[in-house]
Structures are given as structure tokens and as C-alpha cells.
Amino acid sequence: MNDNLILTTRCVLALVWLYNGLWLKVMDVSPHHLEIVSGIAPAIGLPPRVFLSIIGGLETLLAVGIVSGLFYRFVSYFQIGIILLMNTIGIVYGGGSIKEPAGLIIMNLPIVMCALIVAKHGPGPYAMRSIKQEEILK
């Protein structure tokens, strides 16, 4: 697969997580996202706004991990797991805010497919590598 396409895929994935995490959950809080976590946050003893900020911070860290290219296979599968977990929790505990559960899942399929491409074909160029990754690639 073309290295530049893989790099572009990785950058697009990072941008999606950065937008959803940093922008929609931390900087310019989305009322829709806040409504979804409002059904879950009290169960863990946090105000919804704080819980949403924590989630946003973690999504931002995931974006940094994707851009770095370190442990790309783990990060790719981790993304898929997080998407499945967040969708499941949102559908089950999001109350009436999730009116189209199938649509929520379908809208996330391109992200899942991009993560699978990176997992299969590697991080592409401009990826940081750990010493262990260098040994595996030899």
C-alpha cells in the first residue's frame, strides 16, 4: 500500500479524535455530547462537564498516539475497542439522546476501517518507532 496514503489515513484518524476530543468535549462543549454523558456521569460520581472533559482529554491523547505512529497496531485496535465501547455505552445509557443507534454505528465504520488499514499495513512514513519495533522490523 502507498506510504503516503497510510500517512494520510493516520493523520485523518488523529484529526477525528482531536476534533471530537479537544474541540467538542473540552474547548467548545457540544450539548449533544454533554447530554449523552449526563446519564452516565452521576453513576461514577462526577459532574457531566468534568466527565466529558476527561473523555475529551483521553481522546486527545489518543490522537497524539496515532500521529506518533508508536505501537501502531495496538493503538489501531485500541481505537476500535474504544469506538465499540463508547457506542455501546452511549446507546445503553444515553437515554433518549441516541435516536438512531444503527446510524451511530454506521457513522463510525469509516474510522474502524481506517484503523484496520493502519493496523494491517503499518504506520507509514514519519512514524516514531520504539527500539522493540525496530528489532521486529529487521
Side-chain angles (χ1 to χ4, degrees):
M1 182 164 253
N2 182 322
D3 277 350
N4 289 329
L5 184 60
I6 295 292
L7 175 62
T8 303
T9 301
R10 214 173 78 224
C11 289
V12 167
L13 280 170
L15 187 60
V16 167
W17 286 104
L18 194 61
Y19 174 74
N20 277 293
L22 186 61
W23 185 253
L24 292 179
K25 293 183 178 87
V26 176
M27 296 178 73
D28 185 31
V29 176
S30 161
H32 177 67
H33 288 225
L34 192 56
E35 182 183 356
I36 291 170
V37 299
S38 292
I40 305 160
I44 46 180
L46 290 173
R49 177 70 177 89
V50 171
F51 185 52
L52 191 64
S53 293
I54 291 169
I55 293 169
L58 294 172
E59 288 179 350
T60 301
L61 286 174
L62 183 56
V64 171
I66 294 165
V67 167
S68 78
L70 282 170
F71 310 107
Y72 66 90
R73 194 165 282 128
F74 169 79
V75 171
S76 294
Y77 291 128
F78 185 75
Q79 286 177 80
I80 294 167
I82 291 297
I83 289 171
L84 291 172
L85 180 66
M86 288 190 327
N87 285 340
T88 301
I89 290 172
I91 290 168
V92 173
Y93 295 104
S97 62
I98 305 294
K99 297 181 180 28
E100 302 269 343
L104 181 64
I105 294 166
I106 292 167
M107 293 297 289
N108 283 299
L109 285 178
I111 298 168
V112 169
M113 293 308 297
C114 285
L116 286 172
I117 288 169
V118 173
K120 179 175 176 20
H121 296 285
Y126 307 108
M128 298 173 72
R129 298 195 193 280
S130 70
I131 294 170
K132 185 176 181 181
Q133 281 179 313
E134 289 295 331
E135 291 172 4
I136 292 170
L137 293 174
K138 286 183 182 177

